[in-house]
């Protein structure tokens, strides 16, 4: 930071905005900016406080605020998961993949200069600080320093070889996190300059393609800066982004895409209809995942309830026409209907998670946390090998083979569901890193009334400040593998504040005790709020009740859930290394056991628990299993490496006796059946006496 003039940025901003001569007419603005810049390096901006800034008027109040990056550290199984990520591609990608290596354009090199560097940083940065890893912090710092030290004279930043708005939207998200972690005042200057430049440029060179589809991700950063500087030009930029950006809320209001996208229509790229004209953008899974936050984030500017709530309708439409049993929607890489043999791109998984984390804070809707947990504890780990050295581009709920086949994707290539370095395309290789770290950063939030709230459950430590008093929270749990959460509060001194605890929507009951004293709890899908004076060492014990259940889906199929976990039938796996890829490899996986099993109506499940192992989501030591009796459906086949659509109400194979199936958490097996055919009535009357008809 030495040699940097933090006020240069504001002067440039005012000059670029054409208001330098009017500066004396804007005393309020200048005072706000001066204060923000002057305070930036203090502890309040970083993890020492861990308290979020209040929203600045006229932005709408929101029920919860995400804590500053770094305020929440992983513990227990979650820490082991992040350590696995760091020991795998998460911490070593730059050593084996040139696109984020030393020649990256985001390090001043002539290599990849678009979205991949920023995508990588968006997860590497919080991961490095959450694990307090000096080597990872140093890796991230190089990209940050190059970015901060090499702005263009115009106010633009990033590699000179392209001027696309889109990759900069990702880097802005990175810079906001970096500022929350370090208070580095260079961030405020660079962002101020850039937004001033963009406000002048966008009318001449409007958003297009990815930037037009993903405008809301920049809006987040614009509002972040507005909270810090209060410059009214930022609200003008917000309105301009909304005006030039695609109207996702409008598209979903009368949702036109109710079936698997036809690749021929994608390639035609024609039509005058507002949606068909740019069809590839409109039905693109990652765009739609990012867009789930668009209306809630815009509602902070508009103040409109219908904007804030529009996310629920978007999810409803996706569930109805493209929903899959792992909590996601099909996107391989365009919307692909509800057949569980369709895939979902890993970028779509992590971007849906981030959108839900943002939308959860703005709407306060516990249902979004339920959804977030379903995706985080099933679809996210499901796409990786146990060591996180290989991932899939597309994962399938009914995944019976990972091999080189074109079927069934809407537009992806034959590598799309291999496990590897960059199967099909490298976007997910660069972008997966944000999944676990941003989930970690969203476990607890600040409430609008100055308290704290447990939003999503996993083991962690929180350092924040309530009513001006430093507060440490220790949360220990094996959730989602168990249903008990233990919390110990360590305020620096006794202090009164509200503490909210989410009761998951699936809970059939819950119990709550504070310092051993039973407390009333809340209905499922609501928050229970505890108002009291909290003292150092106060304890909270929270338990949820749930029972395994069959959830109906595509073609009358059923999938099995218990709490936040989806369960799947593991298929024996034969792994074949296809090719070495630097420090890692690409793998094919072939089935080595029968998988075409159906479940009877009124199936009963037996739950067995084992300790959570060193790899939380591993089939070698699953923390929990469910056993259930199933029957072979011999008519259900695979073709070209993909299971045929689940047959509707098939007869069981009469010659095959019922067998006890042991289901594992969805993510544990890499070949699996998640959506089972529901057997036709009478299928359970197996002729045990040997009379086979
Ligand atoms: Zn991707």
């Amino acid at each position: 930071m030495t040699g940097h003039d933090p006020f240069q940025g504001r002067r440039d901003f005012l000059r670029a905005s054409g208001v330098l001569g009017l500066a004396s007419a804007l005393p309020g603005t200048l005072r706000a900016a001066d204060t923000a810049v002057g305070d930036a390096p203090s502890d309040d901006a970083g993890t020492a406080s861990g308290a979020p800034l209040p929203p600045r008027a006229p932005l709408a109040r929101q029920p919860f605020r995400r804590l500053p990056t770094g305020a929440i550290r992983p513990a227990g199984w979650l820490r082991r998961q992040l350590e696995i990520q760091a020991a795998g591609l998460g911490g070593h990608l730059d050593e084996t993949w040139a696109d984020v290596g030393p020649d990256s354009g985001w390090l001043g090199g002539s290599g990849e200069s678009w979205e991949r560097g920023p995508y990588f940083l968006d997860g590497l940065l919080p991961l490095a600080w959450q694990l307090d890893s000096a080597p990872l912090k140093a890796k991230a710092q190089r990209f940050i320093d190059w970015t901060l030290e090499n702005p263009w004279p115009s106010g633009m930043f990033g590699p000179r070889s392209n001027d696309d708005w889109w990759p900069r939207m990702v880097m802005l998200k990175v810079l906001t996190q970096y500022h929350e972690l370090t208070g580095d005042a260079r961030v405020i200057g660079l962002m101020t300059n850039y937004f001033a430049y963009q406000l002048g440029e966008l009318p001449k060179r409007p958003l297009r393609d990815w930037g037009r589809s993903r405008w809301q991700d920049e809006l987040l950063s614009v509002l972040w800066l507005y909270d810090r500087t209060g410059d009214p030009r930022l609200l003008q930029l917000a309105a301009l982004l909304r005006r030039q950006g695609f109207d996702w809320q409008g598209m979903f209001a009368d949702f036109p895409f109710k079936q698997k996208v036809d690749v021929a229509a994608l390639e035609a790229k024609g039509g005058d209809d507002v949606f068909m004209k740019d069809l590839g953008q409109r039905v693109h899974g990652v765009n739609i995942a990012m867009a789930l936050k668009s209306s809630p984030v815009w509602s902070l500017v508009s103040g409109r309830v219908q904007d804030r709530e529009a996310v629920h309708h978007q999810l409803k439409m996706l569930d109805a026409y493209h929903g899959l049993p792992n909590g996601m929607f099909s996107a391989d890489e365009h919307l692909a209907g509800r057949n569980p043999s369709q895939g979902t791109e890993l970028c779509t998984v992590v971007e849906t998670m981030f959108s839900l984390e943002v939308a959860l804070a703005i709407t306060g809707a516990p249902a979004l946390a339920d959804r977030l947990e379903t995706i985080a504890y099933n679809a996210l780990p499901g796409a990786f090998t146990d060591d996180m050295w290989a991932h899939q581009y597309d994962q399938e709920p009914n995944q019976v083979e990972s091999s080189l086949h074109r079927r069934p994707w809407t537009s992806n290539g034959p590598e799309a569901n291999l496990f590897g370095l960059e199967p099909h395309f490298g976007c997910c290789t660069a972008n997966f890193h944000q999944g676990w770290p941003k989930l970690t950063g969203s476990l607890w939030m600040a409430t609008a009334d100055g308290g704290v709230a447990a939003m999503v459950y996993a083991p962690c430590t929180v350092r924040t400040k309530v009513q001006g008093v430093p507060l440490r929270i220790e949360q220990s749990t094996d959730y989602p593998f168990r249903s008990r959460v233990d919390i110990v509060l360590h305020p620096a001194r006794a202090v009164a504040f509200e503490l909210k605890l989410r009761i998951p929507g699936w809970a059939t009951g819950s119990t709550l005790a504070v310092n051993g004293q039973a407390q009333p709890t809340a209905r499922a899908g609501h928050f229970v709020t505890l108002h009291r004076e909290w003292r150092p060492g106060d304890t909270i014990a929270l338990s949820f009740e749930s029972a395994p259940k069959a959830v109906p889906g595509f073609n009358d199929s059923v999938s099995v859930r218990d709490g936040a976990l989806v369960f799947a039938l593991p298929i024996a796996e034969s792994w074949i290394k296809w090719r070495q890829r630097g420090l890692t490899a690409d793998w094919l996986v072939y089935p080595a056991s029968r998988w075409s099993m159906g479940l009877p109506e009124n199936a009963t499940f037996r739950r067995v628990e084992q300790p959570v192992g060193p790899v939380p989501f591993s089939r070698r030591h699953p923390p929990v299993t469910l056993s259930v009796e199933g029957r072979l459906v011999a008519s259900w086949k695979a073709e070209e490496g993909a299971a045929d659509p689940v047959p509707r109400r098939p007869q069981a194979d009469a010659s095959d006796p019922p067998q006890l199936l042991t289901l594992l958490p969805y993510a544990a097996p890499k070949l699996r059946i998640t959506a089972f055919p529901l057997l036709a009535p009478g299928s359970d009357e197996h002729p045990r006496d040997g009379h086979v008809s």
Side-chain angles (χ1 to χ4, degrees), residues 229-501:
T229 68
D231 198 302
R233 294 279 169 147
L234 294 169
L235 299 183
Q236 292 179 28
L237 179 60
L240 186 57
L241 290 169
R242 171 72 184 80
R243 209 155 53 238
Q244 291 192 358
F246 182 71
D247 178 13
W248 292 104
Q249 192 175 333
M251 181 181 108
F252 275 93
D254 185 14
F255 188 55
F257 304 116
K258 298 182 177 174
Q259 290 175 338
K260 179 176 176 176
V261 170
D262 175 8
V263 72
L266 277 180
E267 286 161 359
K269 294 180 177 161
D272 295 331
D273 181 274
V274 64
F275 301 138
M276 299 303 285
K277 200 170 67 176
D278 207 2
L279 183 62
Q281 289 280 330
R282 303 289 76 82
V283 295
H284 191 269
V286 186
N287 285 351
I288 287 173
M290 292 176 177
L292 286 168
K293 74 174 81 61
S294 62
S295 299
V297 176
W298 176 246
S299 79
L300 298 175
V301 180
S302 75
R304 284 161 39 105
V305 173
Q306 49 270 58
D307 292 337
R308 191 183 68 212
E309 300 300 315
V311 59
H312 302 300
H313 180 70
Q314 293 184 20
L315 285 167
K316 193 171 152 194
M317 291 295 100
L318 291 170
D319 282 344
Y321 301 108
H322 306 283
L324 295 176
N326 56 14
M328 284 298 307
F329 51 93
S330 61
D332 55 20
E333 61 189 49
H334 300 88
L335 295 176
R338 296 184 68 208
N339 176 356
S341 294
Q342 295 297 145
T344 298
E345 182 188 339
L346 181 51
C347 282
T348 307
V349 172
V350 295
E351 292 295 352
T352 299
M353 287 176 58
F354 181 53
S355 285
L356 290 171
E357 289 154 10
V358 170
L360 175 60
I362 297 171
T363 64
L368 298 183
D370 291 342
R371 170 78 64 144
L372 174 58
E373 287 184 353
T374 303
I375 296 170
Y377 299 149
N378 298 282
L380 176 65
F384 293 93
T385 52
D386 284 2
D387 60 7
M388 292 190 79
W389 272 100
H391 73 275
Q392 294 180 292
Y393 192 89
D394 286 335
Q395 66 176 293
E396 302 159 278
N398 283 356
Q399 183 161 274
V400 301
E401 196 172 302
S402 294
S403 59
L404 292 161
H405 289 298
R406 181 69 176 75
R407 189 198 193 220
W409 325 123
T410 54
S411 54
N412 288 153
E415 292 182 25
N417 85 333
L418 303 192
F419 286 85
L421 173 66
E422 50 174 345
H424 179 67
F425 193 67
C427 53
C428 306
T429 311
N431 193 14
F432 78 73
H433 307 265
Q434 65 170 311
W436 286 118
K438 287 193 187 164
L439 179 84
T440 303
S442 305
L443 297 175
W444 283 73
M445 295 186 188
T447 71
D449 293 329
V452 287
M455 309 299 282
V456 169
Y457 293 105
C460 66
T461 300
V462 184
R463 285 179 193 274
T464 184
K465 209 178 243 186
V466 286
Q467 316 293 341
V469 177
L471 169 67
R472 179 165 55 89
I473 302 169
E474 304 283 350
Q475 176 164 289
S476 51
T477 180
D478 278 333
Y479 189 101
F481 310 110
R482 303 289 189 275
S483 56
R484 182 184 165 107
V485 180
D486 287 288
I487 298 164
V488 186
L489 300 175
H490 302 280
R493 57 177 167 77
V495 56
F497 60 89
E498 69 167 10
L499 188 147
K500 288 177 178 285
L501 302 159

Side-chain angles (χ1 to χ4, degrees), residues 174-231:
V174 174
L175 293 176
T176 61
Q177 294 179 74
Y178 173 70
H179 186 271
E180 290 173 354
L181 288 165
T182 65
D184 189 332
R186 294 177 298 173
V187 171
I188 303 295
L190 181 125
M191 288 178 65
T192 300
N193 284 348
Y194 175 68
F195 289 143
Y197 166 75
Q198 201 183 26
L199 186 62
E201 257 335 84
L202 276 177
K204 296 175 271 181
R205 192 165 70 79
L207 299 178
R208 63 180 177 85
D209 302 336
W210 304 111
R212 178 165 179 255
S213 294
R214 300 171 176 183
W215 61 274
Q216 70 283 325
D217 281 69
E218 176 167 338
L219 181 58
L220 267 183
S221 298
V222 172
L223 301 184
W224 179 94
L225 187 63
Y226 181 77
D227 281 340
R228 282 156 181 78
T229 68
D231 198 302

Side-chain angles (χ1 to χ4, degrees), residues 506-518:
W506 46 258
T508 54
S510 61
T511 59
L512 173 63
V514 176
N515 296 331
Q517 300 280 310

